[in-house]
Amino acid sequence: MSSIAVPALAPPRRAWLTDLPVLLVAVVWGSSYLAAKGITTAQTVVAVLVLRFAVVLPVLVVAGRRRLRALRAAQWRGAGLLGLVLSGIFLVETYGVVHTSATNAGLIISLTMIFTPLVEAAVTRVRPPGAFLAAAGLSVAGVVLLTQGGGFTSPSAGDLLMLVAALARTAHVMLMSRIKSVQGADSLSLTTIQLGSAVAVFAVLAAVPGTGDAPWTVAAGFGLPEWGGLLFLSVFCTLFAFFVQKMWSVRRTSPSRVSLLLGTEPLWAAAVGIAIGGERLGVLGAVGALLVLAGTGWGRRAVAPATP
């Protein structure tokens, strides 16, 4: 580890203390797939999403009320549009988790790290490095094997939904970089408006007949394990993750270290799914998982800007 990569605020001998909260974010994000799977069914996806984000939204509004009032109308519109895309991501992702394993979900969604530079290269017409293209091929091959853990069969509906979610995440990242009104906007305000827009979409869907159980019906049927899972998703995977990523890490470590640590999310998803969820990959699936992890890690390094 180069000493240049560690800011003056975090001497090398204490670097692990600085990295630990960011690494914990990767752990809770990786654990979120199994947690969501444990409390969600095909009939409760919309209701769980309403409950998950309605719990944390008031906290974000109170914490950032002054910054929200300072935003321009164009910034509200831009963040609202991103929120609509975000609602689609959460819907597809959560339905995907219901219909596949937590391990598959976490590994397939990590393809966002491959898709984003590819789409950016297509938009800017700048050919990505050869090493990145090789890494992308490795990742795609890994996903193919991952979905064939029990033998060569068609990917499950959940696997395909997670692939769509990875593409949707890529679209969200690209939009954030191209909607000029949100560039430079306060992170807390931007996140609050996006989640508010997403909750509004979920609430409207919940009121439509045939979209599943009502949020209050689902909440009334939750026991302690389900409430524990919901609060884990709300408090740790949303509030804790946001404040560490946006408030803690930017002041105490470098973007490259944050990216490296958060990039371990699929590894934790696989570890939690196998160790706690009792999931099994099979030989093909295990090889595929390793290829996905290797490919996304290699791809991230291939397109990462050189550190001074």
Side-chain angles (χ1 to χ4, degrees):
M1 182 189 305
S2 170
S3 59
I4 298 177
V6 182
L9 290 176
R13 59 188 175 84
R14 296 184 58 197
W16 69 273
L17 290 175
T18 302
D19 290 345
L20 185 58
V22 182
L23 184 61
L24 286 175
V25 170
V27 173
V28 298
W29 278 351
S31 306
S32 67
Y33 302 101
L34 186 62
K37 190 174 181 66
I39 66 171
T40 314
T41 67
Q43 292 299 310
T44 63
V45 167
V46 175
V48 168
L49 287 172
V50 171
L51 295 171
R52 172 181 175 178
F53 295 110
V55 168
V56 299
L57 190 59
V59 179
L60 293 174
V61 170
V62 170
R65 59 189 181 280
R66 293 182 180 176
R67 299 174 184 178
L68 284 169
R69 288 197 294 265
L71 292 181
R72 304 188 307 273
Q75 292 175 314
W76 276 85
R77 289 193 297 270
L81 174 61
L82 289 171
L84 295 180
V85 178
L86 190 65
S87 68
I89 293 172
F90 279 118
L91 281 167
V92 175
E93 227 176 72
T94 309
Y95 276 112
V97 167
V98 169
H99 294 291
T100 190
S101 66
T103 302
N104 278 24
L107 290 166
I108 294 173
I109 203 69
S110 71
L111 287 179
T112 302
M113 292 182 282
I114 295 295
F115 291 155
T116 301
L118 286 176
V119 172
E120 187 172 17
V123 171
T124 60
R125 298 183 179 180
V126 176
R127 182 181 174 83
F132 176 79
L133 294 176
L138 194 67
S139 297
V140 171
V143 168
V144 171
L145 290 177
L146 178 68
T147 59
Q148 309 303 312
F152 287 100
T153 58
S154 299
S156 70
D159 294 332
L160 295 176
L161 285 171
M162 295 310 299
L163 191 60
V164 172
L167 290 169
R169 280 196 185 190
T170 297
H172 186 261
V173 172
M174 296 300 293
L175 281 172
M176 285 192 69
S177 67
R178 279 163 175 75
I179 299 178
K180 293 183 178 180
S181 62
V182 301
Q183 294 174 14
D186 172 66
S187 296
L188 178 57
S189 300
L190 188 61
T191 299
T192 302
I193 296 171
Q194 287 187 79
L195 289 183
S197 298
V199 169
V201 171
F202 303 146
V204 170
L205 288 177
V208 176
T211 55
D213 299 334
W216 50 87
T217 302
V218 173
F222 273 179
L224 285 178
E226 290 78 15
W227 276 111
L230 182 70
L231 291 175
F232 173 77
L233 291 171
S234 299
V235 176
F236 288 96
C237 299
T238 305
L239 278 182
F240 170 74
F242 170 80
F243 283 106
V244 169
Q245 188 184 9
K246 300 297 185 182
M247 306 298 182
W248 166 280
S249 63
V250 295
R251 293 181 175 89
R252 292 171 173 83
T253 189
S254 67
S256 59
R257 287 181 68 83
V258 172
S259 175
L260 179 65
L261 292 166
L262 293 181
T264 63
E265 176 190 342
L267 177 63
W268 296 110
V272 170
I274 294 170
I276 299 178
E279 298 175 351
R280 295 292 181 267
L281 289 174
V283 175
L284 288 177
V287 172
L290 291 174
L291 290 180
V292 171
L293 293 171
T296 53
W298 184 17
R300 192 186 313 112
R301 291 192 298 271
V303 297
T307 54

